[in-house]
Amino acid sequence: MSNTRIDEIGEDIFRISTYLPDYNLEFNQFLVRDEQPLLYHTGMGFLFPAVQEAVAKLIAPEDLRWVGFSHYEQDECGSLTQWLAVAPQAQPVCNMVSALVNVNDATGRENRIFQDDEVFATGKHRFRFLSTPHVPHGWDASLLFEETKGVLFCSDLFTHSGEQPALFDDIATKAHETLLEQQQSPFRDFMAYNATTDATLSTLADLNPAVLAVMHGSSYVGDGATALHDLRRSLRSVLGTKSA
């Protein structure tokens, strides 16, 4: 797709973005170029040719070794099996629920199960695996935190609509506006909020991320902890009950 673009948002961390007007959303993947390259999000199956073409400008696609995603949803991992066909040595990065409920069956093989807070290295980059049930949504949800540069790959957190620049300095406000808009649409309640949401977002804020790599919309460089606390308050005010 001609509207797929590549932006480097951190050292050897690239945002691959395709804007789809029918959704009025950007669908972003993140390629971490390293000794063992990692792709976070694959995009839907029909995006695979565009994403593969973009990845090929950064690495040899067959060299991919890790495929990360938050939860089992088409924009997160819809082309996972296509990527494993191109790079059969690649390893999905997922927790027990994700592997046993969805990923093992989809890939036709048993996959490594990552534990909450487990750390693994791809070379110069070091990742912490975070199980985050129902954040942003899904029983199987998880996130990745790249510790050397402080990059939180935060999936649907901070979703905001429209075609956006690679980086923006107030994504929390944009996310709040989109959340309010979505609550008036057929896609209401696309974000989860329950008894553990506040604690999970506070734990993410305690990581003090310097970069927030967002699936839908701009990413952010700056005070990630404050942005996460702003998001927590937004979700609470829009989705929380009055007694919460």
Side-chain angles (χ1 to χ4, degrees), residues 69 72 80-81 84 92 94-111:
F69 48 91
Y72 199 77
L80 174 61
T81 56
L84 296 182
C94 56
N95 58 26
M96 181 186 71
V97 172
S98 184
L100 298 185
V101 174
N102 292 307
V103 178
N104 288 356
D105 182 67
T107 61
R109 71 189 202 190
E110 291 190 11
N111 294 286

Side-chain angles (χ1 to χ4, degrees), residues 11-210:
E11 184 180 354
D12 285 325
I13 299 175
F14 299 88
R15 174 184 183 264
I16 299 169
S17 180
T18 305
Y19 175 67
L20 299 180
D22 288 348
Y23 298 87
N24 192 30
L25 273 181
E26 290 177 318
F27 291 81
N28 303 325
Q29 298 77 45
F30 297 92
L31 190 282
V32 181
R33 189 167 57 189
D34 208 343
E35 294 173 23
Q36 299 177 24
L38 178 145
L39 181 68
Y40 198 74
H41 309 142
T42 71
M44 298 82 87
F46 74 84
L47 281 181
F48 176 71
V51 177
Q52 183 184 31
E53 181 180 356
V55 168
K57 295 177 181 178
L58 302 169
I59 64 166
E62 61 271 20
D63 289 344
L64 191 67
R65 288 296 176 269
W66 304 93
V67 183
F69 48 91
S70 170
H71 47 278
Y72 199 77
E73 193 175 8
Q74 289 303 101
D75 58 350
E76 293 275 341
C77 57
S79 61
L80 174 61
T81 56
Q82 290 163 280
W83 276 108
L84 296 182
V86 169
Q89 297 182 62
Q91 171 67 58
V93 181
C94 56
N95 58 26
M96 181 186 71
V97 172
S98 184
L100 298 185
V101 174
N102 292 307
V103 178
N104 288 356
D105 182 67
T107 61
R109 71 189 202 190
E110 291 190 11
N111 294 286
R112 174 177 170 180
I113 292 173
F114 285 78
Q115 304 299 320
D116 183 41
D117 232 26
E118 181 176 345
V119 175
F120 67 100
T122 60
K124 65 182 180 182
H125 294 280
R126 188 175 67 249
F127 293 88
R128 184 171 298 276
F129 182 86
L130 306 167
S131 280
T132 57
H134 305 292
V135 176
H137 41 238
W139 179 32
D140 57 331
S142 63
L143 299 174
L144 272 187
F145 181 60
E146 199 287 311
E147 296 186 324
T148 61
K149 300 298 179 182
V151 182
L152 179 65
F153 294 88
C154 48
S155 179
D156 293 326
L157 298 179
F158 297 101
T159 286
H160 47 284
S161 56
E163 189 168 13
Q164 302 291 344
L167 296 171
F168 189 74
D169 60 2
D170 190 7
I171 60 170
T173 296
K174 287 197 174 201
H176 182 73
E177 292 169 351
T178 294
L179 182 63
L180 291 173
E181 291 170 5
Q182 292 291 83
Q183 287 304 99
Q184 306 304 315
S185 81
F187 296 99
R188 62 179 293 120
D189 298 326
F190 77 101
M191 291 290 292
Y193 184 87
N194 62 28
T196 64
T197 303
D198 283 4
T200 300
L201 289 172
S202 293
T203 297
L204 296 175
D206 288 344
L207 296 170
N208 291 310

